[in-house]
Amino acid sequence: MSQPDHGPARKQRFKERLSVLHDTALHRKLKHHLPAAFNERWTRRHWIHASLFATIGALAATIVPGFSNAIDLPVPTSHSTLALPLPPLSLARRGETPGDSWQIQRVERGQTLSDLFAAAGVPASTMQRVLDHPGTREVLTRLKPGTEIAFDLPVNGTLRSIRFDRDANHRVELSLQGDQIREKVMQRASTTRTVVASGEITSSLYTAARRAGLSPSAIATMTDEIFKYDIDFSKDLQPGDRFSVVLDETWREGERIDTGKILAATFQTGGKTHTGFRFERNGKSEYFDISGRPLKKSFIRSPIQFARLSSNFGSRRHPILGTMRMHKGVDYAARTGTPIMAAGDARVQFAGTQRGYGNVVILDHGRGHTTLYGHMSRLGPYRTGQRVAQGQVIGYVGSTGMSTGPHLHYEFRVNGVHRNPLSVTMPPPEPLKGAELVAFRAQTAPAMARIQGMEELIYADAGNRKPAATRTASAAATPAPAGKRG
């Protein structure tokens, strides 16, 4: 007897078995390809690594969107300006606060006062008001190049004050207040300090002196006033010659304004040391050597600078009369109008016209010494009886009287006897004596000590080597108000 057919149920059971077999095969395949960590029991190390990776993933998920947002922001292609209202400028700021708007103008060569006011934007009418103030026109119309003038101009452009220097020691400030001008005069304080400068000549005296810090005026004092009678600076100087100077420097507002007052100086040339010290005698400052004898000689050899000797002293044929006669002086050929200087300090004995001399001046130098200057084109400002100092201009070269051309006829007489001006022994100047000599030595000793100390410092090893450069050193002195020295 046959069994009944359970077809549908049998098919269902077959499908279920196939499914189990399929799942088992898949599991085995995955187990074969997956890492051991997924097929085995996890250890503590596996859990630590899993936690670390999970933390990194969480951080990445948090940060990356932020970058994405920043990159996606649109870049502005234009900008706009917003005008903000500002508070109005106060009246004090606009016109009443002094000293907040000074403009300084420095006078240049060829510049006029009108140019300065125009450059500052000040109208000519205001300039005229300033010039009408007493004592202002004389100063402002004679401004030299380099002089400073300051304008106080607030933002409204109206001149409030003007400031300028009346002289070396006074500064003036004029304040324009309505129709009035108020004047304030301020003292310009200055200080004086004593310094020592020393140098050695390698190429020229001027170069060495400038390297030592001497101003052109100080160099001129040394060459044209102190040592001009003893040193021929155009012929005598040689490399290796030395000089040292003690001088007063005047300073004002941080600027050195004067260095020409030399108190003492030494000059070594030709194996000889020349000295000069400033000392006041009879109310007049002069220079003396270390023994107290004046450096200034009683007479200068030639009353004309850079003149040519055209006729000597002695017997000759007169160029006009044609006869042999004594030429009682010397002639210097020069252009008409060349200044003629007094050969020494003197009193004018005669000034006028005198026979063949034409326009002539005769000077009495005392102790029987007189000099004569003839053929002048015109006389100087001195008249008979007046005193004249050595080097002062007493007349000008000409061709008046018995003369064949412009020249100076110069005579030198001792007790009325004519002497050759080129060879006569000039009388020495009177030296200091008594109390003046004592005061001179007391005054010059510190200056000489400073010079010796400086030279010992610089030239102590001069026998082994030459100084590398000219040097300058300040003397230990406390600044004092200018004008305290003689």
Side-chain angles (χ1 to χ4, degrees):
M1 184 172 177
S2 61
Q3 296 290 334
D5 187 7
H6 301 289
R10 189 176 183 181
K11 289 182 180 180
Q12 182 65 30
R13 290 193 302 271
F14 181 75
K15 288 182 180 179
E16 291 176 358
R17 185 170 182 81
L18 284 177
S19 178
V20 170
L21 294 175
H22 182 270
D23 291 340
T24 302
L26 181 62
H27 174 73
R28 290 176 178 174
K29 188 176 181 179
L30 288 175
K31 182 178 180 181
H32 177 73
H33 290 284
L34 287 176
F38 289 92
N39 298 319
E40 299 174 0
R41 188 181 184 89
W42 278 21
T43 65
R44 183 178 182 182
R45 180 182 178 185
H46 294 152
W47 287 109
I48 292 176
H49 286 174
S51 300
L52 179 61
F53 292 145
T55 303
I56 293 174
L59 290 176
T62 304
I63 297 174
V64 170
F67 280 113
S68 176
N69 294 336
I71 294 173
D72 292 340
L73 288 176
V75 178
T77 58
S78 62
H79 66 276
S80 61
T81 302
L82 178 63
L84 298 177
L86 296 177
L89 198 64
S90 65
L91 291 177
R93 177 64 178 168
R94 274 188 280 173
E96 298 177 3
T97 303
D100 62 347
S101 52
W102 285 100
Q103 298 183 16
I104 299 177
Q105 301 276 353
R106 184 180 293 272
V107 182
E108 299 179 359
R109 189 173 299 276
Q111 200 171 29
T112 64
L113 185 64
S114 299
D115 297 334
L116 295 173
F117 273 79
V122 179
S125 58
T126 304
M127 181 185 73
Q128 191 59 47
R129 282 187 60 198
V130 173
L131 292 177
D132 290 341
H133 185 74
T136 302
R137 183 180 298 272
E138 293 78 3
V139 178
L140 293 184
T141 55
R142 298 178 182 177
L143 296 176
K144 297 180 180 179
T147 305
E148 290 185 351
I149 181 171
F151 300 89
D152 184 16
L153 293 166
V155 293
N156 61 9
T158 303
L159 180 64
R160 184 165 50 199
S161 302
I162 184 172
R163 187 172 62 209
F164 55 89
D165 295 332
R166 174 173 293 172
D167 51 47
N169 299 315
H170 298 90
R171 175 165 291 175
V172 177
E173 183 175 323
L174 302 179
S175 299
L176 283 67
Q177 302 177 359
D179 295 334
Q180 296 182 343
I181 296 181
R182 296 183 179 275
E183 177 180 307
K184 181 170 65 174
V185 180
M186 296 162 283
Q187 183 79 19
R188 301 187 66 193
S190 61
T191 58
T192 300
R193 64 186 185 189
T194 303
V195 300
V196 183
S198 184
E200 181 174 318
I201 298 173
T202 55
S203 58
S204 70
L205 171 61
Y206 186 84
T207 301
R210 291 295 286 162
R211 288 174 59 192
L214 298 184
S215 65
S217 61
I219 298 172
T221 300
M222 184 169 59
T223 58
D224 299 342
E225 188 173 351
I226 301 177
F227 297 121
K228 73 173 182 177
Y229 298 98
D230 300 310
I231 302 173
D232 187 340
F233 287 97
S234 62
K235 299 178 181 178
D236 295 344
L237 299 187
Q238 298 292 332
D241 290 348
R242 303 171 186 167
F243 62 88
S244 295
V245 177
V246 179
L247 71 158
D248 277 348
E249 291 183 340
T250 303
W251 291 75
R252 178 184 294 118
E253 300 168 1
E255 179 184 4
R256 188 175 68 173
I257 60 174
D258 182 37
T259 60
K261 188 176 181 181
I262 296 180
L263 306 179
T266 63
F267 210 108
Q268 299 179 30
T269 180
K272 183 179 180 180
T273 300
H274 302 272
T275 59
F277 299 88
R278 184 185 180 100
F279 184 73
E280 185 174 315
R281 178 172 66 171
N282 299 326
K284 181 181 178 181
S285 294
E286 302 178 51
Y287 286 97
F288 300 81
D289 64 15
I290 197 167
S291 65
R293 186 173 294 277
L295 294 179
K296 176 183 175 181
K297 301 300 185 284
S298 299
F299 296 89
I300 56 178
R301 288 291 180 182
S302 175
I304 299 181
Q305 291 183 331
F306 313 113
R308 177 177 61 86
L309 182 67
S310 58
S311 184
N312 216 324
F313 183 86
S315 181
R316 67 165 190 175
R317 185 179 297 277
H318 195 277
I320 295 179
L321 300 178
T323 59
M324 294 296 296
R325 57 190 301 176
M326 184 68 179
H327 189 222
K328 299 178 180 180
V330 294
D331 292 344
Y332 292 99
R335 290 184 177 182
T336 299
T338 302
I340 301 171
M341 300 177 294
D345 296 341
R347 179 183 58 85
V348 179
Q349 187 180 87
F350 179 83
T353 303
Q354 195 176 93
R355 300 187 301 277
Y357 289 119
N359 293 328
V360 64
V361 171
I362 301 175
L363 301 181
D364 182 0
H365 302 276
R367 294 187 292 177
H369 295 81
T370 60
T371 53
L372 180 145
Y373 313 79
H375 305 310
M376 295 182 178
S377 60
R378 59 190 177 95
L379 303 178
Y382 300 98
R383 295 296 177 261
T384 301
Q386 291 183 326
R387 300 291 303 182
V388 59
Q390 184 184 80
Q392 295 295 314
V393 176
I394 57 174
Y396 302 88
V397 169
S399 187
T400 58
M402 296 180 66
S403 171
T404 58
H407 70 282
L408 166 68
H409 175 76
Y410 175 56
E411 296 182 3
F412 194 95
R413 303 173 184 175
V414 181
N415 296 323
V417 179
H418 291 83
R419 300 288 183 85
N420 185 352
L422 303 181
S423 60
V424 65
T425 300
M426 301 294 184
E430 288 292 328
L432 295 173
K433 299 177 181 179
E436 285 185 332
L437 181 60
V438 173
F440 170 79
R441 288 174 176 170
Q443 177 179 312
T444 58
M448 193 63 192
R450 286 176 175 175
I451 290 178
Q452 291 174 345
M454 171 62 67
E455 293 183 346
E456 288 176 2
L457 177 65
I458 296 180
Y459 307 114
D461 56 347
N464 299 325
R465 63 177 180 85
K466 290 186 178 180
T470 305
R471 309 176 192 179
T472 305
S474 297
T478 302
K484 294 296 184 181
R485 296 182 181 271

